[in-house]
């Protein structure tokens, strides 16, 4: 990933109201050292983040990403971000994006142990080439996430449903999928409820109806999934959030993993069992997801 731009943010109070936060945004060399060795984001993964897809310098679904950043902050007991300040930071970062696809990352950390706190920054990088996944689909394996569907309500300290920097288990799941000869994974709870991918939301097609696992079982509410459902509803399709058993994935008429940067990747096989794959419809979905979306 080629880093193109970085911006340090001096976090403003969430209720601070002003027209311009430029004096709190400091561009830095993205290749130079910038964080203290006591930074808790690197010491403990104690922080949150968002990845915003950018197409031809247009950042996609900014408000939805900012609202999810605020949600993650609440779950993690971090100071509430000033969304106007972060929106301005995104705008500054987007202006540094060349034509084509990029990714803007927003990071809010608990800061340096024993202060100062919090710390925050934004980066811009070129996006990976996701053409193959979009056009040819992905093979997935089903992996047990290791907790039952009631765990988020029973143990809120697990921070399930927040987009935290503690992503090592997600990356380990992707490595396990590749060891099994697949491209990606779909998590299920230990009591057999479909959840999500390590870095994506799951969408199933059942006839002319599209469903995604209901929030509440530790699922990160996907900004791309929300946008895609709005698009499908505009086209006259029914959409729904449901508690789905693992078998629903194997029985689907089609399925996709959707995310902010890779966009829609059709699932072609689950645990080596073929799944119907509609290449033309997937291209239509990605044409929409690549269009400017606010």
């Amino acid at each position: 990933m080629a880093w193109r731009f970085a911006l340090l943010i001096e976090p403003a109070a969430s209720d601070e109201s002003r027209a311009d936060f430029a004096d709190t945004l400091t561009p830095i060399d993205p290749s130079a050292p910038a964080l203290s060795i006591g930074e808790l984001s690197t010491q403990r993964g104690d922080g949150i983040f968002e990845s915003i897809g950018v197409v031809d310098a247009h950042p996609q679904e900014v408000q939805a990403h900012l609202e999810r950043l605020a949600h993650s902050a609440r779950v993690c007991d971090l100071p509430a971000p000033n969304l106007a300040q972060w929106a301005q930071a995104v705008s500054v970062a987007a202006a540094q994006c060349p034509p084509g696809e990029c990714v803007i990352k927003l990071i809010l950390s608990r800061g340096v142990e024993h202060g100062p706190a919090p710390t925050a920054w934004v980066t811009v990088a070129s996006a990976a080439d996701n053409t193959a996944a979009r056009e040819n689909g992905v093979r997935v394996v089903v992996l047990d996430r290791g907790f039952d569907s009631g765990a988020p309500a029973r143990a809120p300290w697990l921070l399930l449903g927040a987009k935290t920097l503690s992503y090592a288990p997600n990356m380990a799941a992707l490595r396990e999928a590749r060891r099994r000869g697949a491209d990606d994974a779909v998590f299920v709870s230990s009591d057999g409820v479909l959840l999500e991918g390590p870095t994506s939301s799951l969408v199933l097609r059942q006839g002319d109806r599209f469903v995604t696992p209901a929030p509440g079982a530790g699922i990160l509410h996907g900004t791309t999934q929300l946008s895609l459902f709005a698009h499908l509803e505009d086209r006259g399709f029914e959409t729904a959030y449901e508690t789905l058993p693992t078998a629903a994935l194997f029985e689907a008429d089609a399925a996709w993993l959707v995310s902010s940067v890779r966009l829609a990747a059709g699932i072609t096989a689950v645990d080596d069992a073929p799944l119907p794959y509609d290449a033309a419809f997937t291209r239509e979905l990605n044409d929409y997801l690549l269009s400017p979306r606010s």
Side-chain angles (χ1 to χ4, degrees):
M1 182 176 284
W3 301 105
R4 292 182 168 273
F5 180 74
L7 190 69
L8 285 179
I9 300 175
E10 182 182 341
S14 61
D15 58 354
E16 183 174 346
S17 179
R18 52 164 145 155
D20 188 10
F21 288 91
D23 63 331
T24 69
L25 310 176
T26 305
I28 59 171
D29 181 350
S31 64
L35 298 177
S36 164
I37 59 171
E39 169 60 44
L40 292 174
S41 61
T42 54
Q43 292 275 3
R44 298 176 182 169
D46 195 354
I48 58 176
F49 77 103
E50 284 290 322
S51 297
I52 301 177
V54 183
V55 180
D56 294 331
H58 179 85
Q60 305 280 54
E61 302 288 345
V62 173
Q63 188 60 34
H65 280 285
L66 294 179
E67 290 173 359
R68 192 168 65 180
L69 185 76
H71 167 77
S72 294
R74 287 193 297 273
V75 173
C76 296
D77 292 323
L78 285 164
N82 184 303
L83 298 191
Q85 180 188 35
W86 284 85
Q88 185 171 343
V90 171
S91 180
V92 171
Q96 302 298 317
C97 293
E101 295 183 55
C102 290
V103 55
I104 293 175
K105 280 201 171 182
L106 317 179
I107 301 99
L108 176 62
S109 160
R110 202 168 303 277
V112 177
E113 192 161 19
H114 309 307
T119 55
W121 64 99
V122 172
T123 62
V124 174
S126 300
D129 183 357
N130 290 293
T131 304
R134 293 173 188 170
E135 294 185 355
N136 303 325
V138 293
R139 300 171 63 85
V140 306
V141 293
V142 173
L143 297 180
D144 189 334
R145 206 169 197 176
F147 55 79
D148 64 76
S149 56
R154 191 173 62 251
W157 50 87
L158 294 177
L159 307 182
L160 303 171
K163 196 171 180 71
T164 72
L165 292 170
S166 304
Y167 241 49
N170 303 63
M171 299 299 99
L174 290 176
R175 292 193 296 273
E176 178 62 24
R178 288 162 190 152
R179 275 193 288 269
R180 299 187 188 191
D183 307 297
D184 212 321
V186 172
F187 286 132
V188 297
S189 67
S190 59
D191 52 343
V193 174
L194 279 175
L195 299 173
E196 58 192 349
T199 64
S200 55
S201 302
L202 176 65
V203 174
L204 308 183
R205 183 169 188 169
Q206 301 171 335
D208 284 338
R209 185 170 177 271
F210 292 82
V211 299
T212 194
I219 293 172
L220 183 71
H221 214 159
T223 58
T224 306
Q225 173 266 311
L226 287 166
S227 180
L228 190 61
F229 268 26
H231 171 66
L232 291 168
E233 290 161 8
D234 287 343
R235 293 184 56 181
F237 293 108
E238 180 185 351
T239 65
Y241 296 84
E242 296 182 355
T243 300
L244 298 165
T246 305
L249 176 57
F250 292 86
E251 297 165 357
D253 294 317
W256 296 266
L257 291 176
V258 300
S259 55
S260 296
V261 179
R262 188 173 60 181
L263 305 182
I267 296 176
T268 60
V270 183
D271 289 345
D272 291 326
L275 198 68
Y277 174 61
D278 189 334
F281 191 77
T282 300
R283 279 194 296 272
E284 291 178 19
L285 297 182
N286 281 315
D287 285 345
Y288 163 71
L289 291 173
L290 285 166
S291 66
R293 295 177 288 119
S294 298

